Amino acid sequence: MSGVVTDATILERLKQLQINHPEVINHSPVKGSSEWSASLSIASPPLSTVNLTKTLLFKPKTAKTATPTPVLILAKDTTETPSAAIGKLLELKELRLASEDLIKEVIPSAATKDDISALALPTPIPETLHLILDSALAQSEDQHALHLTTSTTTILLKGSDIKSYFDSLIQGDGVKIVDFAELKASAPAPSAPAAKSAPKEKPTKATPVAAEDDEEKYNMAIRFKKDEDFSGWYTDVLIKGQMLDYYDISGCYILRPWSYSIWQTIQTWFDDEIKKLGVQDCYFPMFVSNARLEKEKDHIEGFAPEVAWVTRAGKSELDEPIAIRPTSETVMYPYYAKWINSHRDLPLKLNQWNSVVRWEFKNPQPFLRTREFLWQEGHTAFLHKAEAAKEVMDILELYKKVYTDLLAVPVIPGKKSENEKFAGGDYTTTVEGFIPTTGRGIQGATSHHLGQNFSKMFDISVESPDKSEGRLHAYQNSWGLSTRSIGVMVMVHGDDQGLVLPPRVALQQVAIVPVGLSKGEGKNQPIYDACSRLERELIGAGIRAKADLREGYTPGWKFNDWEMRGVPLRLELGPRDIAANTTLSVRRYDNHKSPMPLADISNTVRSYLDDIQSAMLEKASEKFDACLKTITNWDDVVPTLDAKNVLVLPWCEGSQCEDDIKERSKSQSNKGAAEDSKAPSAGAKSLCIPFNQERFGPFPDGENQKCVQCGEKAKSWTMFGRSY
Amino acid sequence: MSGVVTDATILERLKQLQINHPEVINHSPVKGSSEWSASLSIASPPLSTVNLTKTLLFKPKTAKTATPTPVLILAKDTTETPSAAIGKLLELKELRLASEDLIKEVIPSAATKDDISALALPTPIPETLHLILDSALAQSEDQHALHLTTSTTTILLKGSDIKSYFDSLIQGDGVKIVDFAELKASAPAPSAPAAKSAPKEKPTKATPVAAEDDEEKYNMAIRFKKDEDFSGWYTDVLIKGQMLDYYDISGCYILRPWSYSIWQTIQTWFDDEIKKLGVQDCYFPMFVSNARLEKEKDHIEGFAPEVAWVTRAGKSELDEPIAIRPTSETVMYPYYAKWINSHRDLPLKLNQWNSVVRWEFKNPQPFLRTREFLWQEGHTAFLHKAEAAKEVMDILELYKKVYTDLLAVPVIPGKKSENEKFAGGDYTTTVEGFIPTTGRGIQGATSHHLGQNFSKMFDISVESPDKSEGRLHAYQNSWGLSTRSIGVMVMVHGDDQGLVLPPRVALQQVAIVPVGLSKGEGKNQPIYDACSRLERELIGAGIRAKADLREGYTPGWKFNDWEMRGVPLRLELGPRDIAANTTLSVRRYDNHKSPMPLADISNTVRSYLDDIQSAMLEKASEKFDACLKTITNWDDVVPTLDAKNVLVLPWCEGSQCEDDIKERSKSQSNKGAAEDSKAPSAGAKSLCIPFNQERFGPFPDGENQKCVQCGEKAKSWTMFGRSY
């Protein structure tokens, strides 16, 4: 096919058809009609009532060697476009949504599957392509929204102009018009779901644009399977679970109460704990002068490409650009030098709860990689190295508990390799998590010992207490935990129905749903009253419960709603339950149902929630443990990675060897593991050297154990894996 | 005198003396030697051991009509420069530090009193000016730091070069050199403090540059009297009380634990209370796109000149500049439109704890006017106006309690006039505070009813529940409380010894100080042990106590230290106290001393702290009440303002009348009240229309009462005053 079509090409084509100055709106990239419509409704001027279109590209089943005969459909967003009926019409078999490869073949300008736009078809249009226009669209004089070449631009065109546009591109009779309403009437019964009818075929990545569910279904179910399209699943779970919403600045997300409350729970618990250790909270400005930022060159080198710069205030250019902090070492330490004048001023232990900005250009991912994120950063200074070293571990233990005790997520504490430690520090400790679905490790939180590197740079020093040693430079630590932890929790516990929240961090722990309702006004009042009484009783006992008395929704709808939002426990209450003085409880994490007596319900529920909390951690730990594979032969490395495991290798701890492991595993796995654009490392890097070496047993070759990669003497069992 | 000298002029003068390429360092504006030295120590490269100089301008007493004969001294920062001795030497009387007017007359380039630089003297130097150079400086071959024309630039020059510089400016014998060490030896005894010896003379604003205290004294006492130099006092109290520190970006300050903990106390209390009202916390990104920011024109008009813009990330220019939120109405409300689809989604009550940025170009002031500040912003939407109106008042009541119950600061709840309400809202309620020392009102926190203005703009609407009324637009509120509250507290309670903290918000409520110590190792151990026991007992009872066992400091030093930091209660424990099983308690706020039995000390202290809390509020309330003056004749307005009162006027509530009051009082008071550069309004504006009208009694003329200013019918008693 010929060259790439640009936005300008499309506008030029329109101009030649006398369609001049159509309205064009720029916005952030959108996935699917809900985001698209939201983006347009907040555009300036707002377009809240715009008619959307949808563009679908299907691939009919053909012999592997045959030229594909793709079908491209442009229709009103509200038009039903059943693929089976279209297949019948065109005499093509088993229409499936096209792969990204095919999309790019048909529309070379489409950078992602969200950028698919029929306007961007290059000419001449190949004869193998079936182009179909919805008659409801072709006949309309209303403005309709289409994308130009990317999902960041919307153009408004009359339906009749759209028809003219395609007619001009196609030789002969012009574009094929299909009346889908008529087609539907003559359609065959829908076939069984694709996954079942064609089990051997790799599931297509159904794009929101192509989703054929109606709006109700769209809202009421997670559209992707966790095992099939993890990235689509993750986003859908977060948005439908009301954890977050997309924002019109890429890489920034809105933390809704459902997720922010989890962060507050973590804050409250962790803040109490560090205060017991003598840490005090403070707040430094978010702005940093260039001079300060650049003070520690090694340290800042990693951050510099991601720093956001303020250069203007109102209409005035600033004399000097001012940075927004990416982290606060160089912001805080000049003041440590000022405040620490005597050994009596040590230890100094400060912590901040704030947000930092790292303007990453990689693919953003909610919670895991965002341009602004919330975190705490602790910065402490000690007279003696031993005190500092102890604190590093005390804090790491608290981080571990945040994961295990609050988020029910297993993590493995250990030390980072030289390659992976914090630049500018002496050593880094970490709690490492694991996402079984993708087989990738993920760093949970880190606690660094900075040694005297920064204190020498910033002259944080005191006269030694006994005067004998002259001036001593302080030993420093820094440690941080961010909202990423929430993302890890979602990835570990969520399932195909949506979020699964551990009780300790769930904003709502119990959903009380009235069931067995009758029609007729007032008839259900006794049930509603019983639900309200139960709610009050539980809330009185400190349990975060809510009775769902919303009218106009069926119990089934409500079950689904609370499941999607991950509420740990559902209590159903109907006439029969009330008569028996019981309620039917349903656990979210394993859907286990059991009746509970209403007598002493608060204590029952409380201990049940505790059990759920432990069981969730146990279940996740078993999964993690099962994926920890001790490997002593290199030949097993890539197959074990490809089977979504974490490697535990006897390793020499050498920097060069780590680089070699990464390269070697990457090159060998290029065919085995598809690159995931959200986490593009196919090679294995070291995750951590676990502190608990004993769990992996002695080396098979004992003292003579060799490093799996380089054959040098192995020093420790070390976790390697693909990672986020 | 001739024209203004620029930095370039100075460098050119140096060049002509063959002093080429001296080192020049740019930094933020500095006040005094501590800030200057801190700024240089964090410059790049750091200059931690630089020799500072000081520049002092004195005005000897002369007949009012005579030409002033100012004395300008440039000396090493460490040289003592007793003014009496200099006066004697020069045969001049009563040298006082010069007023800003005189400074500008002598050195026209000095924009503020901190920019005074001898290098910037214009030529020819008038014969009436006495220019004196410290011999220790003139003879030195070391580099010394001087400012160029402003306090933001430092130049390093050898002492001998400085001498050459001044010699070149002065005709005849060159600059006068004085050996201050010798002068001191022959000096008269220091005279009594200026305030006492010349009670009728307005106290000079002693600048830190001119402070003659040695470093120990500098650190150990507040250098300004609250009544004499309020602005100097305020800054000094905050820094020495360790509430905050200056930062190298103007208008940004570091909140140290001593102040941040107060904010956390407010957060915890207020967050609990609003959650009881059904409000949930969330977090929206700090960044806003231009399109969104400008959505509501009226609303944004007030903020636009103060918006900070990010235009660059790493080395890449952004396609579109991105703003940092000055407030979040236009950030959040598009999502309210998205999330609110049915009356069942109402009310929606969200709150954020975050920081916002308003890049003000006015004089910044810690807590009161800062470029980044911490606050909470609540944004709620209701189906019915009455619900919204009720919430406005519920929140205002909580704000009142933050001030009265936590900060022990009296406030008066009321409604803002039309001129003073939040732009874009229907009406604004406020709690108004008052700073007796300056006689200025200060807005404490505001709770706005936005009506349907924003909901119509953003289309936040639902189908009416009974379908009869069609679509209904939500009624909205927004409300905010910021760290400004901490500044108000400091201004109200602080005294000449430093901070005075109310017990409920003090990070440390009790300081236990060992007294009656003997010399000789180990002898004091029993006293220290008793102090530690007392500390443990109090902490065990939930009282934030600390035993000050720092060695090397006298009890007097410690008393002073904790007084400066405002700790509400000091307990002294010495051998005699221990023998008598008592401790001597000293209340910070009124210095009242009384012995307390150690038996049952926790309960005693707890109730004593409660009493202090109430007494502080009572004391402050009495002061506020005494300054609330009901005025019914215009002639009393300006004299009452000048006597630092708040006016309570019968007022018509007219917008034009309010403007007239402001102008009329300003023009009349121009002679009476000096403009305070930090709060430059000499005219009276309306503070609020108090909800409690009864406290001011009926109008003297009853129903026929006329507005004090315009003579129209008066509607309400309204507070008018100068304000922050």
Side-chain angles (χ1 to χ4, degrees):
Chain A
M1 292 197 182
S2 64
V4 171
V5 169
T6 65
D7 287 357
T9 320
I10 297 173
L11 294 172
E12 181 57 33
R13 288 175 178 173
L14 287 166
K15 203 170 163 190
Q16 289 183 3
L17 298 168
Q18 311 291 327
I19 306 167
N20 293 313
H21 308 300
E23 190 161 359
V24 172
I25 302 122
N26 292 308
H27 44 73
S28 1
V30 295
K31 292 179 176 231
S33 55
S34 287
E35 272 185 46
W36 191 8
S37 143
S39 273
L40 294 177
S41 74
I42 57 184
S44 177
L47 291 167
S48 47
T49 55
V50 74
N51 301 303
L52 299 185
T53 61
K54 62 181 172 185
T55 308
L56 307 170
L57 185 65
F58 290 104
K59 179 192 165 295
K61 193 175 181 183
T62 49
K64 279 206 173 165
T65 50
T67 310
T69 53
V71 179
L72 185 66
I73 298 176
L74 178 62
K76 287 175 72 114
D77 187 49
T78 48
T79 300
E80 281 187 53
T81 50
S83 59
I86 298 164
K88 196 179 168 199
L89 177 75
L90 300 175
E91 302 183 340
L92 294 168
K93 280 194 234 167
E94 289 181 24
L95 266 57
R96 300 272 175 266
L97 287 170
S99 68
E100 289 214 21
D101 284 349
L102 182 58
I103 290 174
K104 280 190 188 147
E105 200 176 317
V106 176
I107 303 169
S109 64
T112 77
K113 59 191 161 66
D114 304 310
D115 299 319
I116 183 169
S117 163
L119 296 179
L121 277 173
T123 48
I125 291 179
E127 290 185 15
T128 49
L129 177 70
H130 300 272
L131 180 59
I132 292 179
L133 189 61
D134 176 9
S135 67
L137 182 58
Q139 291 156 13
S140 170
E141 286 300 303
D142 289 342
Q143 301 268 13
H144 281 76
L146 293 85
H147 288 312
L148 290 181
T149 57
T150 69
S151 77
T152 61
T153 313
T154 297
I155 185 170
L156 296 186
L157 293 174
K158 282 195 285 189
S160 54
D161 286 342
I162 296 172
K163 179 173 182 307
S164 309
Y165 182 92
F166 288 109
D167 284 347
S168 76
L169 296 187
I170 290 179
Q171 313 293 331
D173 298 341
V175 65
K176 185 175 179 70
I177 308 285
V178 170
D179 182 335
F180 284 97
E182 192 180 292
L183 188 67
K184 191 187 169 195
S186 63
S191 63
K196 287 188 182 169
S197 66
K200 280 181 192 165
E201 190 166 341
K202 195 166 176 284
T204 55
K205 292 205 175 188
T207 73
V209 172
E212 294 176 63
D213 304 324
D214 59 24
E215 189 66 13
E216 181 70 1
K217 265 191 175 166
Y218 171 87
N219 283 323
M220 281 311 296
I222 305 303
R223 288 169 300 156
F224 306 92
K225 302 281 179 204
K226 190 177 183 184
D227 281 341
E228 292 175 1
D229 182 349
F230 185 69
S231 149
W233 170 86
Y234 178 62
T235 309
D236 214 28
V237 161
L238 291 177
I239 290 184
K240 296 209 178 114
Q242 300 188 20
M243 296 283 271
L244 57 73
D245 213 327
Y246 274 81
Y247 193 66
D248 72 339
I249 293 171
S250 173
C252 295
Y253 304 90
I254 298 161
L255 300 190
R256 301 184 68 179
W258 211 247
S259 64
Y260 191 77
S261 62
I262 296 175
W263 186 238
Q264 282 189 315
T265 302
I266 293 173
Q267 281 189 305
T268 305
W269 183 86
F270 186 77
D271 206 56
D272 277 357
E273 292 296 324
I274 59 176
K275 280 182 178 160
K276 289 180 201 162
L277 297 176
V279 178
Q280 296 185 315
D281 288 326
C282 64
Y283 189 81
F284 276 71
M286 70 156 86
F287 297 116
V288 202
S289 64
N290 192 20
R292 278 209 189 161
L293 192 66
E294 292 189 341
K295 185 83 182 257
E296 216 292 30
K297 300 277 179 197
D298 282 352
H299 165 68
I300 207 58
E301 204 171 293
F303 295 110
E306 301 172 355
V307 169
W309 292 94
V310 175
T311 64
R312 194 150 55 91
K315 293 191 186 262
S316 316
E317 295 293 324
L318 301 184
D319 292 340
E320 284 259 9
I322 292 174
I324 304 178
R325 64 180 158 221
T327 179
S328 302
E329 276 79 3
T330 58
V331 174
M332 296 171 80
Y333 297 166
Y335 293 93
Y336 280 47
K338 185 177 168 191
W339 296 335
I340 297 170
N341 296 304
S342 145
H343 67 91
R344 296 186 200 90
D345 300 324
L346 291 173
L348 179 63
K349 304 182 189 181
L350 297 180
N351 178 63
Q352 290 196 74
W353 294 98
N354 59 22
S355 78
V356 291
V357 172
R358 297 177 189 175
W359 205 267
E360 299 207 52
F361 292 93
K362 283 182 257 174
N363 234 328
Q365 197 162 16
F367 295 116
L368 300 204
R369 194 184 299 123
T370 63
R371 286 178 168 173
E372 180 191 5
F373 59 86
L374 302 178
W375 75 344
Q376 60 68 221
E377 48 177 331
H379 296 269
T380 54
F382 299 84
L383 187 59
H384 302 294
K385 186 180 171 68
E387 298 169 274
K390 177 177 184 310
E391 192 210 51
V392 166
M393 296 303 290
D394 288 344
I395 295 293
L396 197 71
E397 179 66 18
L398 295 179
Y399 287 155
K400 185 186 167 201
K401 285 185 172 169
V402 166
Y403 276 95
T404 57
D405 296 7
L406 299 181
L407 302 173
V409 167
V411 286
I412 294 183
K415 194 173 153 176
K416 284 282 184 188
S417 70
E418 279 302 301
N419 289 8
E420 295 292 329
K421 76 173 189 187
F422 179 65
D426 261 18
Y427 61 86
T428 289
T429 68
T430 177
V431 288
E432 289 290 315
F434 177 67
I435 312 299
T437 319
T438 57
R440 288 182 188 270
I442 186 160
Q443 180 177 301
T446 46
S447 176
H448 315 289
H449 177 56
L450 307 178
Q452 296 177 309
N453 302 340
F454 285 88
S455 64
K456 283 180 176 164
M457 180 77 55
F458 289 93
D459 193 23
I460 304 170
S461 64
V462 298
E463 203 65 43
S464 86
D466 61 2
K467 313 277 181 195
S468 65
E469 296 168 89
R471 286 197 83 75
L472 301 175
H473 285 90
Y475 291 88
Q476 293 182 268
N477 297 333
S478 72
W479 26 274
L481 169 77
S482 79
T483 38
R484 151 179 282 215
S485 51
I486 299 173
V488 177
M489 181 206 74
V490 171
M491 289 185 164
V492 165
H493 295 304
D495 63 20
D496 288 346
Q497 278 67 56
L499 288 173
V500 182
L501 298 177
R504 275 194 71 176
V505 297
L507 180 55
Q508 186 181 331
Q509 298 171 312
V510 178
I512 303 164
V513 180
V515 297
L517 303 178
S518 331
K519 292 201 172 164
E521 204 160 319
K523 277 199 170 172
N524 296 314
Q525 200 53 48
I527 306 178
Y528 291 160
D529 290 347
C531 288
S532 297
R533 273 198 307 276
L534 180 54
E535 178 191 73
R536 276 197 304 275
E537 183 173 348
L538 293 175
I539 289 176
I543 295 161
R544 300 187 288 276
K546 183 167 178 173
D548 184 353
L549 306 183
R550 288 177 288 179
E551 303 220 20
Y553 294 113
T554 63
W557 189 95
K558 291 178 181 176
F559 294 171
N560 187 73
D561 192 37
W562 295 118
E563 277 172 8
M564 202 156 63
R565 302 192 67 190
V567 169
L569 188 63
R570 178 171 86 229
L571 298 179
E572 300 174 12
L573 209 50
R576 262 179 281 176
D577 305 292
I578 294 169
N581 205 30
T582 63
T583 173
L584 183 67
S585 73
V586 185
R587 288 200 298 237
R588 174 64 184 88
Y589 89 96
D590 67 351
N591 209 33
H592 176 78
K593 293 177 189 175
S594 64
M596 278 183 185
L598 282 174
D600 201 26
I601 186 74
S602 296
N603 284 325
T604 310
V605 166
R606 192 184 297 110
S607 80
Y608 207 66
L609 290 172
D610 287 347
D611 292 347
I612 292 174
Q613 180 83 27
S614 326
M616 285 179 68
L617 175 61
E618 202 174 321
K619 183 179 168 185
S621 300
E622 279 167 15
K623 267 197 201 158
F624 192 175
D625 291 350
C627 294
L628 282 172
K629 305 290 189 189
T630 56
I631 297 289
T632 50
N633 289 313
W634 178 267
D635 291 347
D636 297 331
V637 163
V638 172
T640 309
L641 282 179
D642 285 349
K644 299 185 178 174
N645 294 300
V646 173
L647 313 172
V648 184
L649 309 178
W651 185 46
C652 66
E653 299 188 11
S655 273
Q656 183 56 48
C657 179
E658 171 157 11
D659 290 342
D660 293 344
I661 291 175
K662 198 168 185 174
E663 276 312 303
R664 201 169 157 193
S665 59
K666 187 175 177 181
S667 63
Q668 293 179 359
S669 69
N670 267 350
K671 288 164 205 163
E675 290 272 328
D676 175 348
S677 68
K678 301 274 179 175
S681 145
K685 65 176 196 182
S686 77
L687 303 175
C688 75
I689 303 163
F691 290 124
N692 180 0
Q693 289 279 311
E694 290 70 35
R695 68 177 289 177
F696 307 110
F699 284 142
D701 292 344
E703 298 252 318
N704 301 318
Q705 184 67 46
K706 289 188 164 49
C707 170
V708 160
Q709 202 281 133
C710 69
E712 293 293 312
K713 189 170 157 49
K715 290 189 182 162
S716 59
W717 288 113
T718 302
M719 286 163 54
F720 277 81
R722 294 184 183 129
S723 75
Y724 281 89
Chain B
M1 293 200 182
S2 63
V4 171
V5 169
T6 65
D7 287 358
T9 320
I10 297 174
L11 294 172
E12 181 57 34
R13 288 174 178 172
L14 287 166
K15 204 170 164 190
Q16 289 182 1
L17 298 168
Q18 312 291 324
I19 306 168
N20 292 313
H21 309 300
E23 189 161 0
V24 172
I25 302 122
N26 292 308
H27 43 73
S28 8
V30 294
K31 292 178 177 234
S33 54
S34 287
E35 273 186 46
W36 191 8
S37 143
S39 274
L40 293 177
S41 74
I42 58 185
S44 177
L47 291 166
S48 47
T49 56
V50 74
N51 301 301
L52 299 185
T53 61
K54 62 182 173 184
T55 308
L56 305 170
L57 185 65
F58 289 104
K59 179 192 166 296
K61 193 175 182 183
T62 49
K64 279 206 173 165
T65 51
T67 310
T69 53
V71 179
L72 185 66
I73 298 176
L74 178 63
K76 287 175 71 112
D77 187 49
T78 48
T79 300
E80 282 187 52
T81 50
S83 58
I86 298 164
K88 195 178 167 201
L89 177 76
L90 300 175
E91 301 183 340
L92 295 166
K93 278 194 237 169
E94 290 180 23
L95 267 57
R96 300 272 173 265
L97 287 170
S99 67
E100 289 213 21
D101 285 349
L102 182 59
I103 290 174
K104 280 190 188 146
E105 199 176 318
V106 176
I107 303 170
S109 64
T112 76
K113 59 190 162 68
D114 304 309
D115 299 319
I116 183 169
S117 163
L119 296 178
L121 277 171
T123 48
I125 291 180
E127 289 185 15
T128 49
L129 176 71
H130 299 273
L131 179 60
I132 293 179
L133 189 62
D134 176 9
S135 68
L137 182 58
Q139 291 156 12
S140 170
E141 286 300 302
D142 288 342
Q143 302 267 13
H144 282 75
L146 292 85
H147 288 313
L148 289 182
T149 56
T150 68
S151 77
T152 62
T153 314
T154 297
I155 185 171
L156 297 186
L157 293 174
K158 282 194 285 189
S160 54
D161 286 342
I162 296 171
K163 179 172 182 306
S164 308
Y165 183 92
F166 288 109
D167 284 345
S168 77
L169 298 186
I170 290 180
Q171 313 293 332
D173 297 342
V175 64
K176 185 174 179 72
I177 308 286
V178 170
D179 182 335
F180 284 97
E182 191 180 291
L183 188 67
K184 190 187 171 197
S186 64
S191 63
K196 287 188 181 166
S197 67
K200 280 183 192 166
E201 190 165 342
K202 195 167 175 283
T204 56
K205 292 205 174 189
T207 73
V209 172
E212 294 176 61
D213 303 324
D214 60 23
E215 189 66 14
E216 180 69 1
K217 266 192 174 168
Y218 170 87
N219 282 324
M220 282 311 297
I222 305 303
R223 287 169 301 156
F224 306 93
K225 302 282 179 202
K226 190 178 184 184
D227 282 341
E228 292 176 0
D229 181 349
F230 185 69
S231 148
W233 170 87
Y234 178 62
T235 308
D236 214 27
V237 161
L238 291 177
I239 291 184
K240 296 209 179 116
Q242 300 187 21
M243 295 283 270
L244 57 73
D245 213 327
Y246 274 81
Y247 193 66
D248 72 340
I249 293 170
S250 174
C252 294
Y253 304 90
I254 298 162
L255 300 190
R256 301 183 69 179
W258 211 248
S259 63
Y260 190 78
S261 62
I262 297 175
W263 185 238
Q264 282 190 315
T265 303
I266 293 173
Q267 281 189 304
T268 305
W269 183 86
F270 187 76
D271 206 56
D272 276 358
E273 292 295 325
I274 59 176
K275 280 182 176 157
K276 288 180 201 162
L277 297 177
V279 178
Q280 296 184 316
D281 288 326
C282 63
Y283 188 80
F284 277 72
M286 70 157 86
F287 297 116
V288 202
S289 64
N290 193 20
R292 277 208 190 163
L293 192 67
E294 292 189 341
K295 184 84 184 253
E296 215 292 31
K297 300 277 181 197
D298 282 352
H299 165 68
I300 207 58
E301 204 170 294
F303 294 111
E306 301 172 356
V307 169
W309 292 93
V310 175
T311 63
R312 193 149 57 93
K315 292 191 187 265
S316 316
E317 295 294 325
L318 301 184
D319 292 342
E320 283 260 9
I322 292 174
I324 304 178
R325 64 180 158 222
T327 180
S328 302
E329 277 78 5
T330 58
V331 174
M332 296 171 81
Y333 298 168
Y335 293 92
Y336 282 46
K338 185 178 168 191
W339 295 335
I340 296 171
N341 295 304
S342 145
H343 67 91
R344 295 186 201 90
D345 299 324
L346 291 173
L348 179 63
K349 305 183 190 180
L350 297 180
N351 177 63
Q352 290 196 75
W353 295 99
N354 59 23
S355 78
V356 290
V357 172
R358 297 177 189 174
W359 205 268
E360 300 207 51
F361 291 93
K362 285 182 254 174
N363 234 327
Q365 198 163 15
F367 295 116
L368 300 204
R369 193 184 300 125
T370 63
R371 287 179 168 172
E372 180 191 6
F373 59 85
L374 302 178
W375 76 343
Q376 60 68 220
E377 48 177 332
H379 296 270
T380 54
F382 299 85
L383 187 58
H384 302 294
K385 186 180 170 69
E387 297 170 275
K390 177 177 184 309
E391 191 210 51
V392 166
M393 295 304 290
D394 287 345
I395 296 293
L396 196 71
E397 178 65 19
L398 295 179
Y399 286 155
K400 184 185 167 203
K401 284 185 172 169
V402 166
Y403 275 95
T404 56
D405 296 8
L406 300 181
L407 302 173
V409 167
V411 287
I412 294 182
K415 194 173 152 177
K416 285 282 184 189
S417 70
E418 280 300 302
N419 288 9
E420 296 292 329
K421 77 174 188 186
F422 180 65
D426 261 17
Y427 61 86
T428 289
T429 67
T430 177
V431 288
E432 288 291 315
F434 177 66
I435 311 299
T437 318
T438 58
R440 289 181 187 270
I442 186 160
Q443 180 176 299
T446 45
S447 176
H448 316 288
H449 178 55
L450 307 178
Q452 296 177 310
N453 302 339
F454 285 88
S455 64
K456 284 180 177 163
M457 179 77 54
F458 289 93
D459 193 23
I460 304 170
S461 64
V462 298
E463 204 63 42
S464 86
D466 62 3
K467 313 278 181 194
S468 66
E469 297 168 89
R471 285 198 84 74
L472 301 175
H473 284 91
Y475 291 88
Q476 292 182 269
N477 297 333
S478 72
W479 27 273
L481 169 78
S482 79
T483 38
R484 152 180 280 215
S485 51
I486 299 173
V488 176
M489 180 205 75
V490 171
M491 288 184 163
V492 166
H493 294 305
D495 64 20
D496 288 347
Q497 276 66 57
L499 288 173
V500 182
L501 299 177
R504 275 193 71 175
V505 297
L507 179 56
Q508 185 181 331
Q509 298 170 312
V510 178
I512 303 164
V513 180
V515 297
L517 303 177
S518 330
K519 292 201 171 163
E521 203 160 319
K523 276 198 170 173
N524 297 314
Q525 201 53 47
I527 306 178
Y528 291 160
D529 289 346
C531 289
S532 297
R533 272 198 308 277
L534 180 54
E535 179 191 74
R536 276 197 303 276
E537 183 172 349
L538 294 176
I539 288 175
I543 295 161
R544 298 186 289 275
K546 184 168 177 172
D548 183 354
L549 305 183
R550 288 177 288 180
E551 302 220 23
Y553 295 113
T554 64
W557 189 96
K558 291 177 181 176
F559 295 170
N560 187 74
D561 192 37
W562 295 118
E563 278 173 8
M564 202 155 64
R565 301 192 66 189
V567 169
L569 188 64
R570 178 171 85 229
L571 297 179
E572 300 174 13
L573 210 50
R576 263 179 281 177
D577 305 292
I578 295 169
N581 206 29
T582 63
T583 174
L584 184 68
S585 74
V586 185
R587 289 200 297 236
R588 174 64 182 89
Y589 89 97
D590 67 351
N591 209 34
H592 175 79
K593 293 176 189 177
S594 65
M596 279 183 184
L598 283 173
D600 201 25
I601 185 75
S602 296
N603 285 324
T604 311
V605 166
R606 193 184 296 110
S607 79
Y608 208 65
L609 290 173
D610 287 346
D611 291 347
I612 292 173
Q613 180 82 28
S614 327
M616 284 179 68
L617 175 60
E618 201 173 322
K619 183 179 167 185
S621 300
E622 279 167 14
K623 267 197 202 160
F624 192 175
D625 291 349
C627 294
L628 281 172
K629 304 290 189 188
T630 56
I631 298 289
T632 49
N633 289 313
W634 179 268
D635 290 348
D636 296 332
V637 162
V638 172
T640 310
L641 281 178
D642 285 349
K644 298 185 177 173
N645 294 300
V646 173
L647 312 173
V648 184
L649 309 178
W651 186 45
C652 66
E653 299 188 11
S655 274
Q656 182 56 48
C657 179
E658 172 157 11
D659 290 342
D660 292 344
I661 291 175
K662 199 168 183 174
E663 276 312 304
R664 199 170 159 193
S665 59
K666 188 175 176 180
S667 63
Q668 292 179 358
S669 69
N670 267 350
K671 288 163 206 162
E675 291 272 327
D676 176 346
S677 68
K678 300 276 179 175
S681 146
K685 66 176 196 182
S686 78
L687 304 174
C688 75
I689 303 164
F691 290 123
N692 180 1
Q693 289 280 311
E694 290 70 35
R695 68 177 288 178
F696 306 111
F699 284 142
D701 292 345
E703 299 251 317
N704 300 320
Q705 183 68 45
K706 289 187 162 48
C707 171
V708 160
Q709 203 280 135
C710 69
E712 293 294 312
K713 188 169 157 48
K715 290 188 182 163
S716 59
W717 289 112
T718 303
M719 286 162 55
F720 277 82
R722 294 184 182 130
S723 75
Y724 281 90

